[in-house]
Amino acid sequence: MKKILLLIFDGLSDRPIPELSGRTPLEAARTSNLDRLAEKGLVGTHYAMPPDDDYPTSDEAHFEILGYSDRKYLPGRGVLEALGMGIELGKKDLALRVNFGTVDENLKVIDPRAGNIKDVRTIAAHVKEEKIGPFTFRLYPGILHRGVLVISGSPVTKEIKHHSTIVSDTDPHKAENHRGGDKVLRPEPIDDSKEAKMTADALWEYQLLTHKKLSNYTENMVRVRQGLLPANFLLTRGAGFMGEVPSFQEKYNLNAACVAGGHLYKGIAKYFGMDVLDVPGATANTDTDVSAKVVESLESLNSGYDFVFMHVKGTDVVSEETGDFNEKIKFLERCDTALKPLLKFKGVLCVTGDHSTPCILKDHSTDPVPIMIIGGGTDKIKAFNEKKASGGSLGHLQGAEIMPKLLKEAESA
Ligand code: ZN
């Protein structure tokens, strides 16, 4: 059986941009290596999420692509981020993803990323650990504006069903105006249990307390004086407990590893029992060392791993944070140069994205995502971009169809 390398560029695909004469960043970028790979393989598009889904999130799209379509497998974003950050979660710890955001005095979200704050470590350290009633709240800083909140204490020891979480999001992320302007949502219990209500009430108390604490914190006051937005509210979402899921080894009989910079992606890999490899210089941003990631991925496949999931976050970051399509082009071109060693890879290589993040939206969209599979047949498509991919022989795939295709290619001699 051939080795498999799955390379996902987060938020890869885009929409036509007038300033680029109606081309997308991927079309406008000079990407000779991606185009040579397209020439060697089969090309098409996919939409990771089921047709009724109107907003693809990165975690859900990755679960689909990796073959874990059943919603019961999704443990909540908080759990995945926590695992990726190396936080040990007990079975009864409730983990929530946190965005360090900025709110005004009426708790209206000014910016869910506190002016694209680069480092929240000292701000998180200022909050430390809080006890409210029977609960302990522990806050962990992540990359950029991100973090994780873990709530423990006997009242959260409640069995949950499927994807339901014990409390709802306070981050109005999926509300219409995701860029700000919506009021923070008060956490609501998901069901009518006493435990869920207690958790939701304590979480709200914690958030008002930390809001006050953060608003008066020196570093935030300095930020305000400098004309920067203060990180004064912990926007939470994706509350969940560790769940049970068949490992990648059990499901596919593949010894798998992950090469990524972002905590969420490392967490997804860990949740599926993959080894997460440490690559110096791998970040979840456009400054990441793509070359080091490619080298590490190829070396791991040469030294015993059957499957490597390599993730690059920069494409999504630039599209979402600034929507600067010229920066996206530059990053794509830098990635393309780093992909050169893949031209000699003898296994099955799949290059794709998890969803579209059009620069004009600065947000995820349901537009189809180009995909190519190299290692088996070829078709007439000789370039890798949104327009060309839509005419490729792979057609229009669903996320759940990708792994079976890769396995089939790997098994064919
Ligand atoms: Zn994504």
Side-chain angles (χ1 to χ4, degrees):
M1 187 164 162
K2 289 181 200 162
K3 307 273 177 147
I4 302 174
L5 174 54
L6 170 63
L7 168 48
I8 297 184
F9 286 97
D10 211 285
L12 170 71
S13 39
D14 214 296
R15 288 186 183 171
I17 291 168
E19 290 92 330
L20 299 174
S21 314
R23 291 172 301 168
T24 66
L26 190 55
E27 278 182 277
R30 283 167 304 221
T31 52
S32 59
N33 290 322
L34 282 170
D35 294 342
R36 280 162 74 191
L37 288 169
E39 203 173 335
K40 283 162 61 117
L42 302 170
V43 184
T45 62
H46 80 81
Y47 173 53
M49 305 304 296
D52 60 342
D53 191 284
D54 60 356
Y55 188 90
T57 63
S58 291
D59 49 344
E60 288 166 331
H62 277 78
F63 270 59
E64 291 284 338
I65 293 169
L66 292 167
Y68 292 80
S69 294
D70 195 327
R71 287 300 159 104
K72 76 175 182 208
Y73 290 139
L74 278 166
R77 179 89 176 231
V79 169
L80 299 170
E81 298 264 358
L83 289 177
M85 283 162 65
I87 299 167
E88 293 285 333
L89 285 181
K91 274 212 173 334
K92 313 279 173 144
D93 287 338
L94 187 68
L96 300 90
R97 156 73 192 269
V98 171
N99 270 357
F100 286 72
T102 309
V103 300
D104 69 8
E105 61 281 7
N106 299 314
L107 300 186
K108 259 195 180 177
V109 179
I110 305 293
D111 187 340
R113 296 169 180 200
N116 290 332
I117 192 165
K118 295 285 176 257
D119 189 344
V120 292
R121 280 175 295 182
T122 51
I123 294 174
H126 182 63
V127 173
K128 285 188 210 132
E129 192 177 302
E130 293 285 350
K131 282 195 191 303
I132 294 174
F135 300 100
T136 304
F137 291 78
R138 289 188 189 89
L139 181 65
Y140 300 86
I143 299 172
L144 302 175
H145 58 278
R146 306 183 191 99
V148 162
L149 176 66
V150 177
I151 310 176
S152 47
S154 59
V156 294
T157 62
K158 180 187 162 293
E159 290 303 315
I160 55 161
K161 295 182 201 88
H162 303 307
H163 184 38
S164 78
T165 51
I166 199 161
V167 288
S168 64
D169 300 350
T170 61
D171 187 345
H173 180 74
K174 284 193 185 178
E176 214 158 275
N177 188 355
H178 166 208
R179 295 293 119 199
D182 292 306
K183 222 175 151 180
V184 164
L185 306 167
R186 190 184 162 129
E188 299 285 347
I190 292 280
D191 58 34
D192 52 13
S193 68
K194 196 176 81 194
E195 294 86 349
K197 173 143 183 26
M198 279 178 80
T199 311
D201 288 348
L203 176 59
W204 187 235
E205 197 181 325
Y206 171 81
Q207 293 197 296
L208 296 180
L209 178 86
T210 50
H211 171 50
K212 202 168 160 195
K213 213 167 170 176
L214 290 175
S215 300
N216 297 321
Y217 179 47
T218 332
E219 190 175 319
N220 271 328
M221 290 187 178
V222 170
R223 280 182 71 81
V224 173
R225 276 203 297 278
Q226 291 170 337
L228 301 170
L229 291 171
N232 65 6
F233 201 90
L234 306 175
L235 295 159
T236 56
R237 60 184 154 115
F241 296 105
M242 279 291 282
E244 302 246 333
V245 68
S247 72
F248 222 69
Q249 180 81 55
E250 285 161 349
K251 194 171 163 66
Y252 299 117
N253 195 24
L254 294 174
N255 184 18
C258 163
V259 169
H263 290 144
L264 173 63
Y265 311 93
K266 291 180 180 179
I268 290 171
K270 270 196 190 163
Y271 199 62
F272 297 149
M274 295 184 197
D275 288 339
V276 175
L277 306 175
D278 185 40
V279 182
T283 70
N285 211 331
T286 48
D287 60 356
T288 194
D289 190 342
V290 190
S291 217
K293 284 180 171 175
V294 169
V295 169
E296 179 69 32
S297 298
L298 291 174
E299 277 176 5
S300 334
L301 289 165
N302 273 330
S303 64
Y305 287 105
D306 308 311
F307 182 98
V308 168
F309 155 47
M310 176 179 149
H311 184 267
V312 176
K313 183 70 178 169
T315 29
D316 184 63
V317 173
V318 67
S319 315
E320 260 196 9
E321 283 188 0
T322 60
D324 185 337
F325 48 84
N326 286 317
E327 280 302 312
K328 193 168 184 178
I329 291 173
K330 259 198 254 170
F331 182 63
L332 284 166
E333 290 181 347
R334 199 164 69 70
C335 289
D336 185 75
T337 308
L339 299 185
K340 197 169 180 198
L342 298 181
L343 290 167
K344 291 191 184 143
F345 179 53
K346 298 274 183 256
V348 173
L349 167 68
C350 175
V351 183
T352 189
D354 54 345
H355 51 73
S356 291
T357 310
C359 287
I360 47 165
L361 299 179
K362 291 203 214 167
D363 207 345
H364 300 183
S365 80
T366 58
D367 300 318
V369 182
I371 179 169
M372 59 180 164
I373 300 174
I374 302 102
T378 58
D379 61 19
K380 61 182 193 319
I381 306 299
K382 294 179 174 21
F384 189 62
N385 60 54
E386 295 84 345
K387 207 183 281 169
K388 294 277 183 199
S390 65
S393 64
L394 287 174
H396 185 69
L397 303 172
Q398 286 295 308
E401 292 176 286
I402 295 173
M403 274 305 292
K405 272 213 184 297
L406 299 185
L407 291 168
K408 206 173 142 209
E409 289 293 349
E411 276 157 11
S412 65

